[in-house]
Amino acid sequence: MKVLVAVGTVVVLVAGYVVYTVLRPFVLHTELVMDASPEQVWKVLADRAAYPEWNPFIISSTGELTSGGTITNVLRDTKGKETTFSPELLVVEPNKELRWIGKVPPGAVFDGEHSFRLEALPDGSTRLIHEETFRGAAVPFTRSMLRKTIEPQFVAMNHALAARATDR
């Protein structure tokens, strides 16, 4: 009986921890105003075959940009480490938003919902909101690493995207 109570207590604690980490996400958020229209920015963002030419963060991205579909991305962090994953596309709205979610199976371990939102500004420029919301049991143990190795790559990509969009 004591063993069952102990096992039950551990299960409840683990389940509570997982629920807590899912409900309390960690967000990496960056923004940049670009001297380019949302259409110009989207054209560069959607031309994933050209990513190796300019993108320091997402060095490869293949697959059709269709909501509900899956793409394959190769990311490079600040240490040069490359990671390949195949997220599900949640939103593909030209000139406005590109969003996907990647999960470490079975889910609730380490999930990342990545988005690029384009906001048209009155002067013809665009505000890029580039962020990722992380949820799952492993997230509290990776926050520092994400800030050091991924967030700077968001910023680098934002500036490279702006340079590419204004060249066109």
Side-chain angles (χ1 to χ4, degrees), residues 41-53:
V41 177
W42 180 264
K43 186 175 180 181
V44 175
L45 194 59
D47 182 9
R48 294 166 310 116
Y51 277 19
E53 297 172 18

Side-chain angles (χ1 to χ4, degrees), residues 64-82:
E64 191 174 337
L65 286 181
T66 306
S67 292
T70 301
I71 58 175
T72 299
N73 290 336
V74 179
L75 306 181
R76 182 177 292 144
D77 70 17
T78 55
K79 296 180 179 180
K81 181 182 176 208
E82 295 180 6

Side-chain angles (χ1 to χ4, degrees), residues 68-147:
T70 301
I71 58 175
T72 299
N73 290 336
V74 179
L75 306 181
R76 182 177 292 144
D77 70 17
T78 55
K79 296 180 179 180
K81 181 182 176 208
E82 295 180 6
T83 303
T84 301
F85 70 106
S86 297
E88 175 189 351
L89 291 165
L90 301 173
V91 177
V92 179
E93 190 174 347
N95 309 322
K96 294 195 186 263
E97 183 176 12
L98 176 60
R99 183 166 28 112
W100 63 68
I101 189 164
K103 297 181 178 188
V104 172
V109 175
F110 187 89
D111 301 344
E113 188 170 315
H114 198 109
S115 66
F116 302 92
R117 293 190 316 274
L118 308 178
E119 294 180 355
L121 300 176
D123 65 358
S125 63
T126 302
R127 178 187 329 279
L128 167 68
I129 300 165
H130 180 184
E131 66 184 14
E132 188 153 2
T133 302
F134 297 95
R135 291 182 173 87
V139 172
F141 305 104
T142 62
R143 287 179 184 217
S144 176
M145 179 274 300
L146 292 168
R147 283 236 185 264

